[in-house]
Coordinates of all heavy atoms in Angstrom, one line a residue:
F445 N -3.1 -21.2 -6.2 CA -3.4 -19.7 -6.4 C -2.2 -19.0 -6.9 O -2.3 -18.2 -7.8 CB -3.9 -19.1 -5.0 CG -4.1 -17.7 -5.2 CD1 -5.3 -17.2 -5.7 CD2 -3.2 -16.8 -4.9 CE1 -5.6 -15.8 -5.9 CE2 -3.4 -15.4 -5.1 CZ -4.6 -14.9 -5.6
H449 N -2.3 -16.7 -10.0 CA -2.0 -15.3 -9.8 C -0.8 -14.8 -10.6 O -0.9 -13.7 -11.2 CB -1.7 -15.1 -8.3 CG -1.6 -13.7 -7.8 ND1 -1.2 -13.3 -6.6 CD2 -2.0 -12.6 -8.4 CE1 -1.3 -12.1 -6.4 NE2 -1.8 -11.5 -7.5
H462 N -7.9 -9.2 -13.2 CA -7.3 -9.1 -11.9 C -7.2 -7.6 -11.5 O -7.0 -7.3 -10.3 CB -5.9 -9.8 -11.9 CG -5.2 -9.8 -10.6 ND1 -5.9 -10.3 -9.5 CD2 -4.0 -9.5 -10.2 CE1 -5.0 -10.2 -8.4 NE2 -3.8 -9.7 -8.9
H465 N -8.8 -6.1 -8.5 CA -8.3 -6.3 -7.1 C -7.2 -5.4 -6.7 O -6.8 -5.3 -5.6 CB -7.9 -7.8 -7.1 CG -7.5 -8.3 -5.7 ND1 -8.4 -8.3 -4.7 CD2 -6.3 -8.7 -5.2 CE1 -7.8 -8.7 -3.5 NE2 -6.5 -9.0 -3.9
H466 N -6.5 -4.8 -7.8 CA -5.4 -4.0 -7.5 C -5.7 -2.5 -7.5 O -4.8 -1.7 -7.5 CB -4.3 -4.3 -8.5 CG -3.4 -5.4 -8.1 ND1 -2.2 -5.2 -7.4 CD2 -3.5 -6.7 -8.4 CE1 -1.7 -6.4 -7.2 NE2 -2.4 -7.3 -7.7
Q471 N -4.7 -1.3 2.0 CA -5.6 -2.5 2.3 C -6.5 -2.4 3.4 O -6.2 -1.9 4.5 CB -4.6 -3.6 2.5 CG -3.7 -4.0 1.4 CD -4.4 -4.4 0.2 OE1 -5.1 -5.4 0.1 NE2 -4.6 -3.5 -0.8
E475 N -11.2 -5.6 1.1 CA -10.5 -5.8 -0.2 C -10.5 -7.3 -0.6 O -10.3 -7.7 -1.8 CB -9.2 -5.2 -0.3 CG -9.0 -3.8 0.1 CD -9.8 -2.9 -0.7 OE1 -9.9 -3.1 -1.9 OE2 -10.5 -2.0 -0.1
T476 N -10.7 -8.1 0.4 CA -10.7 -9.6 0.2 C -11.7 -10.0 -1.0 O -11.4 -10.8 -1.7 CB -11.1 -10.3 1.4 OG1 -10.3 -9.8 2.5 CG2 -10.8 -11.8 1.3
L479 N -13.1 -8.5 -6.2 CA -12.7 -9.5 -7.3 C -13.7 -9.5 -8.3 O -14.8 -9.2 -8.1 CB -12.6 -10.8 -6.7 CG -11.6 -11.1 -5.4 CD1 -11.9 -12.5 -4.9 CD2 -10.2 -10.9 -5.8
L519 N -5.1 -11.1 5.5 CA -4.2 -10.9 4.4 C -4.4 -9.5 3.9 O -3.4 -8.8 3.6 CB -4.4 -11.9 3.3 CG -3.3 -12.1 2.3 CD1 -2.1 -12.8 3.0 CD2 -3.8 -13.1 1.3
H520 N -5.6 -9.0 3.9 CA -6.0 -7.7 3.3 C -6.3 -6.7 4.3 O -6.8 -5.6 4.0 CB -7.1 -7.8 2.3 CG -6.8 -8.6 1.1 ND1 -7.1 -10.0 0.9 CD2 -6.2 -8.3 -0.1 CE1 -6.6 -10.4 -0.2 NE2 -6.1 -9.4 -0.9
H544 N 1.6 -9.5 1.4 CA 0.6 -9.3 0.4 C 0.3 -7.8 0.1 O 0.1 -7.3 -1.0 CB -0.7 -9.9 0.9 CG -1.7 -10.1 -0.2 ND1 -1.5 -10.9 -1.4 CD2 -2.9 -9.6 -0.5 CE1 -2.5 -10.8 -2.2 NE2 -3.4 -10.1 -1.7
H547 N 2.7 -6.9 -2.3 CA 2.3 -7.3 -3.6 C 1.4 -6.3 -4.2 O 1.4 -5.9 -5.4 CB 1.7 -8.6 -3.6 CG 1.0 -9.0 -4.9 ND1 1.7 -9.3 -6.0 CD2 -0.3 -8.9 -5.3 CE1 0.9 -9.5 -7.1 NE2 -0.3 -9.2 -6.7
H548 N 0.4 -5.8 -3.4 CA -0.6 -4.8 -3.9 C 0.1 -3.5 -4.2 O -0.4 -2.8 -5.2 CB -1.7 -4.6 -2.8 CG -2.8 -5.5 -2.9 ND1 -4.0 -5.3 -3.6 CD2 -2.9 -6.8 -2.4 CE1 -4.7 -6.3 -3.5 NE2 -4.1 -7.3 -2.8
K557 N -0.1 -16.3 -1.4 CA -0.8 -15.6 -0.4 C -0.3 -16.0 1.1 O -0.1 -15.1 1.9 CB -2.3 -16.0 -0.4 CG -3.1 -15.1 -1.3 CD -4.5 -15.6 -1.4 CE -5.3 -14.7 -2.3 NZ -6.7 -15.3 -2.5
Ligands
ZN601 ZN1 -5.0 -9.2 -2.6

Side-chain angles (χ1 to χ4, degrees):
F445 180 81
H449 193 191
H462 183 50
H465 186 63
H466 273 270
Q471 300 296 290
E475 306 306 316
T476 314
L479 302 169
L519 200 66
H520 292 96
H544 196 62
H547 171 74
H548 273 262
K557 276 179 176 170

